[in-house]
Amino acid sequence: MRRVGAVLIDIDGVLTVSFEPLPGAVAAMERLRERGVPLALVTNTTSRTRASVADALAGAGFPVTAGDILTAPAATAAYLAAHFPGARCLLLNSGDIAGDLEGVTVVGPEDGAPADVVVVGGAGPEFGYPALNRAFAHLQRGARLVAMHRNLYWRTEAGLQLDSGAFLAGLEAAAGTEAVVLGKPSPAFFAAALDRLGADPAGTLMVGDDIESDVLAAQRQGLTGVLVRTGKYRPGTHRDASGTPDHVLDSFADLPALLERPEPPGPPGGPEG
C-alpha cells in the first residue's frame, strides 16, 4: 500500500446508511487498520454524540473508538467556549447531543429571556413553525447565528431526507444575518481533523459522498478529494458541481485498491478511480 499521511472519512453515506454498514465498508476499514493508515472519521451527524456514534459503528463491526471521531457538535462546543464563553444558547436540533456540548449553556423554549446565540444543528420533527419562529425572534433581538453544518439533505434507509441547511438559509434571509458554520465544509473543521492526526493536507485523503461539503471543500484546503457513489451521491449533482473530484469510486470498499496503485493519488484534475 502506498504511503498516505492520513485519511479523513465521512460516515453517513460512506461507511453506513442509517448506521447499517454499506457492502465492503467494514473490510476496507480493517484493511486500513492493518496497514497502519492514520485515520479520522469526520461527520456532520448531529443526532448522536461521539461516544454513541462510536458504539454504533463498533457494533456494526468497524474497528473505531470515540477518539477516532470528530463531530460537528463537538466542533461547535469548542467554538462557543472560545468565542462566546457563558453565552445563553438556544439550540434547534433533532437528537440528544448533550454529551458533546459540555460547558454550553442551553436555554429551553419556555425561557423568555433573550438568547445570546441561536445554534442550529440537524433537522427533524423539532423544526416546526413555532421553533423556527422562536429562533427568528431571538435573531431579531440581536442573537448571533451559529450552525453545525449547511447540509440540505442526507440519505436514510427511507431515501433522501431534508436537512437543516434549507431552514438555515431561510433564517439567514429573514433575519438579515449570516451563520458561522462549524462542521464541513468549514476550513476550521478540516484543520481540526488534520491537527488531531498530526497530518499534512498534501498527504491526506478526504473520502465523502457530498461532492461540495466533503470533497471539493477538502480540496480547497489542500487535501486530495475522493468522492464515492453511495449515500447522497447523485449524477446530476456531480455533473453540476463547482469543481472536479481528484478521484471517484463506486464505494468506500474500493479505497484500499486506490491506495495500492503504483502511483500516489494525483493532484486536482487527476484521473478518476
Side-chain angles (χ1 to χ4, degrees), residues 6 19 21 26 99 105-106 131 138 151-152 163 171 175 179 194 220 268:
F19 283 94
V26 171
T105 301
V106 177
H138 285 290
N151 292 1
L152 295 173
D163 208 344
L171 285 173
L194 292 171
R220 286 191 288 272

Side-chain angles (χ1 to χ4, degrees), residues 30-190:
E30 291 173 340
R31 175 77 171 154
L32 297 184
R33 289 297 199 194
E34 289 169 2
R35 296 295 182 174
V37 178
L39 58 86
L41 278 57
V42 290
T43 176
N44 281 348
T45 295
T46 55
S47 60
R48 296 172 179 249
T49 63
R50 292 168 61 240
S52 176
V53 170
D55 287 346
L57 291 175
F62 290 98
V64 299
T65 67
D68 297 315
I69 299 169
L70 178 63
T71 67
T76 299
Y79 175 85
L80 292 172
H83 296 273
F84 298 101
R88 292 166 45 82
C89 299
L90 178 72
L91 175 64
L92 185 55
N93 181 70
S94 184
D96 182 8
I97 54 172
D100 279 354
L101 294 179
E102 185 177 354
V104 177
T105 301
V106 177
V107 299
E110 70 286 348
D111 191 327
D116 302 305
V117 183
V118 171
V119 180
V120 178
E126 295 83 357
F127 279 61
Y129 180 81
L132 288 166
N133 196 48
R134 187 179 306 114
F136 175 55
H138 285 290
L139 293 172
Q140 288 185 92
R141 291 196 290 262
R144 301 293 294 272
L145 181 59
V146 170
M148 296 184 188
H149 60 72
R150 282 193 181 277
N151 292 1
L152 295 173
Y153 51 84
W154 81 101
R155 181 172 293 280
T156 71
E157 57 191 2
L160 293 179
Q161 303 288 309
L162 193 65
D163 208 344
S164 54
F167 301 101
L168 181 63
L171 285 173
E172 288 178 314
T177 189
E178 184 174 350
V180 174
V181 181
L182 281 309
K184 296 174 294 181
S186 165
F189 193 76
F190 291 108

Side-chain angles (χ1 to χ4, degrees), residues 14-28:
V14 176
L15 300 178
T16 66
V17 169
S18 296
F19 283 94
E20 290 295 322
L22 287 165
V26 171

